[in-house]
Amino acid sequence: MSGKSGPRDRTWLPPRTSQPRALASLRERLRDTFWFTPTVGLVCAFLLWWALAEVDMKIVAHLKEEQAYEEIADLLAFAQDTRLIVTTISAAMMTFIGVVFSISLVAVQMASGQLTPRVVRIFVRSRITKLTLTVFLATFAFSLLVLTSYEGGASANPRRVTSVPLLQSTLTLGMVGLSLLLFIAFVSSTLRLMRVGPVVDHIAHESFRALERQPGGEPEEAPLEPETTRVMHRARAGVVRDVNVARLVRAARRRGVVLRLIPRIGDFMVPGMPVLAVHGGAAPPPYTLKYAVSVGVERTALRDPAFGLRQLSDIALRALSPAVNDPTTAVQCLDRMVQFLAVAVRLPLGPLHHRDRRGAVRLVQEVPDWSDLVDLAFEEIRGCAAGNPQVTRRLLAGLDDLLVLAAEERRQPLLRHRALLVEAVERTVPEAAERAFALYPDRQGIG
């Protein structure tokens, strides 16, 4: 593997975030839920209604102190006009929500069948989707609360009313306008989800952010002391999503040992499997390791750059299946895979060595190396591409481009895949002219 890259090798990446790792993990968990944002929106709607109701009461009280009963009568007339609008909004909003999101779920189902079931998580994590549902539900709840503030119509006695929902009714109309704007944005976002280009672009950018969060490896690190014991996984079964590095480093420092994480991010763990190997002493107490390894029902791109390649490979394989037969989609996935590998080829990808404050290594974490990433990107697609010249031409062009960028010690996996692809095409395509056409590198596949 190549040495550490210079500063210019990372100019493609977004600026590093200063967000603490624990907060980033919590943020990722909340993004994977669909209930949190709408619940917060409903609570905010109630608090906002309560605050505006208090202000409306103070406005009426002030007008009474000023003996401005004609102005109160005008406000009552305005309230009578807006009451019908608010009533209509409260009655229609839930129906609107049901119709919109029913259609959206059908669109998501179509996208998951055409591309991969993993695109559902893009819909669940979408900010515009959550914001739209939040505003819709908040508008519905707020309109119901506003209806409770009406004390009478325009014929009510201005001297006896205590509140006229002036600000509440105005804000309700504003929330309806905001709902309409968000509806347009939501429809646009849902339509993007049904298109291949935006989906693979989203997956690629998630992978780049995960690669940015991963520190560089240190393959030159000295060998570890002999392994003394292992810590077993006692939590629920699931996919390893994240690791609390700070907790593990503290636990290892207090014991004077080095911990080695056995599973990689994205591995599936069941209770009883070894999760940590201890080098140089006794294992830390179990309570110090609690919640150190986070598991869930599915992989996430937070600390797992390879998950993006897995998704792109799934989309490409489905596109190359005889039932779908969509090689152009496979070429679009290869474009993003080559883009990802063109970045990773310049980065150190050795094991991660996490240190304590004194610089001593306390946690060793295995991550996919360069060969793993290349195999993940090309192995399965290469096996399905031999009879499709559009894909073989694009794959050969991508391999040739990566060979130009790769250092000498990273060329071998690329050369192996190129040789295997050529052999597969030669076995599959008997005509020499068609073979030559299929083995001609072309970044667009076939124009």
Side-chain angles (χ1 to χ4, degrees), residues 77-133:
F78 173 79
Q80 180 65 16
D81 295 335
T82 58
R83 184 172 188 171
L84 179 60
I85 300 175
V86 174
T87 303
T88 304
I89 291 171
S90 62
M93 186 56 70
M94 280 307 294
T95 303
F96 184 62
I97 293 173
V99 171
V100 169
F101 278 87
S102 296
I103 296 174
S104 302
L105 291 178
V106 172
V108 172
Q109 185 178 10
M110 292 175 60
S112 65
Q114 178 185 0
L115 302 176
T116 173
R118 258 65 65 185
V119 300
V120 176
R121 70 182 286 275
I122 300 178
F123 178 82
V124 172
R125 292 167 58 88
S126 170
R127 292 187 179 93
I128 189 63
T129 300
K130 294 178 181 178
L131 182 61
T132 302
L133 178 61

Side-chain angles (χ1 to χ4, degrees), residues 33-308:
T33 64
F34 207 74
W35 59 266
F36 178 76
T37 305
T39 302
V40 172
L42 290 175
V43 173
C44 292
F46 176 80
L47 295 176
L48 187 58
W49 167 79
W50 177 80
L52 291 180
E54 291 293 324
V55 174
D56 283 335
M57 292 179 62
K58 291 182 179 180
I59 291 175
V60 173
H62 175 72
L63 292 176
K64 284 184 176 181
E65 291 176 0
E66 299 292 331
Q67 302 292 318
Y69 295 109
E70 292 184 2
E71 285 77 0
I72 296 178
D74 293 338
L75 291 180
L76 287 171
F78 173 79
Q80 180 65 16
D81 295 335
T82 58
R83 184 172 188 171
L84 179 60
I85 300 175
V86 174
T87 303
T88 304
I89 291 171
S90 62
M93 186 56 70
M94 280 307 294
T95 303
F96 184 62
I97 293 173
V99 171
V100 169
F101 278 87
S102 296
I103 296 174
S104 302
L105 291 178
V106 172
V108 172
Q109 185 178 10
M110 292 175 60
S112 65
Q114 178 185 0
L115 302 176
T116 173
R118 258 65 65 185
V119 300
V120 176
R121 70 182 286 275
I122 300 178
F123 178 82
V124 172
R125 292 167 58 88
S126 170
R127 292 187 179 93
I128 189 63
T129 300
K130 294 178 181 178
L131 182 61
T132 302
L133 178 61
T134 299
V135 173
F136 282 7
L137 292 177
T139 302
F140 171 71
F142 192 82
S143 62
L144 291 180
L145 293 171
V146 171
L147 288 176
T148 65
S149 300
Y150 287 97
E151 296 184 5
S155 61
N157 189 346
R159 296 178 181 272
R160 301 184 62 179
V161 296
T162 59
S163 175
V164 178
L166 173 64
L167 298 179
Q168 301 171 63
S169 302
T170 304
L171 183 60
T172 302
L173 299 178
M175 293 178 70
V176 171
L178 179 60
S179 298
L180 295 176
L181 293 176
L182 285 175
F183 171 68
I184 298 173
F186 173 74
V187 171
S188 175
S189 176
T190 304
L191 291 177
R192 283 176 57 85
L193 183 63
M194 300 178 65
R195 295 161 51 198
V196 177
V199 170
V200 298
D201 180 70
H202 178 89
I203 294 172
H205 279 81
E206 271 195 338
S207 302
F208 292 150
R209 286 193 292 268
L211 199 60
E212 163 67 7
R213 297 185 190 103
Q214 180 175 287
E218 299 180 10
E220 72 280 1
E221 189 67 32
L224 298 176
E225 296 185 24
E227 180 180 322
T228 54
T229 185
R230 290 190 170 189
V231 177
M232 303 302 171
H233 180 62
R234 301 300 180 189
R236 62 170 182 165
V239 176
V240 179
R241 295 160 58 97
D242 198 6
V243 179
N244 193 327
V245 173
R247 180 185 287 269
L248 291 176
V249 168
R250 285 196 302 268
R253 177 176 56 82
R254 290 168 183 167
R255 281 285 181 174
V257 298
V258 177
L259 300 177
R260 178 172 55 86
L261 187 68
I262 296 175
R264 297 194 306 198
I265 299 294
D267 287 357
F268 189 84
M269 296 289 295
V270 298
M273 290 180 61
V275 63
L276 290 169
V278 184
H279 295 261
Y287 70 88
T288 63
L289 304 178
K290 194 174 183 181
Y291 307 120
V293 178
S294 172
V295 299
V297 295
E298 62 181 358
R299 294 171 70 175
T300 176
L302 177 65
R303 313 286 179 192
D304 189 1
F307 183 46

Side-chain angles (χ1 to χ4, degrees), residues 51 96 222 251 259 281-282 374 379 401 406 435:
F96 184 62
L259 300 177
V374 173
E379 182 68 30
D401 290 340
R435 267 202 315 273

Side-chain angles (χ1 to χ4, degrees), residues 350-408:
L352 306 182
H353 294 77
H354 303 283
R355 304 173 182 272
D356 59 17
R357 300 176 196 173
R358 299 181 179 178
V361 174
R362 294 302 179 186
L363 175 64
V364 178
Q365 179 183 352
E366 293 290 338
V367 297
D369 61 17
W370 170 247
S371 180
D372 294 331
L373 295 178
V374 173
D375 290 342
L376 177 57
F378 298 138
E379 182 68 30
E380 295 172 300
I381 296 177
R382 177 177 52 76
C384 299
N388 197 310
Q390 182 177 357
V391 181
T392 58
R393 287 159 66 97
R394 179 63 186 99
L395 186 51
L396 284 171
L399 289 169
D400 290 345
D401 290 340
L402 292 173
L403 284 169
V404 173
L405 297 174
E408 185 63 32

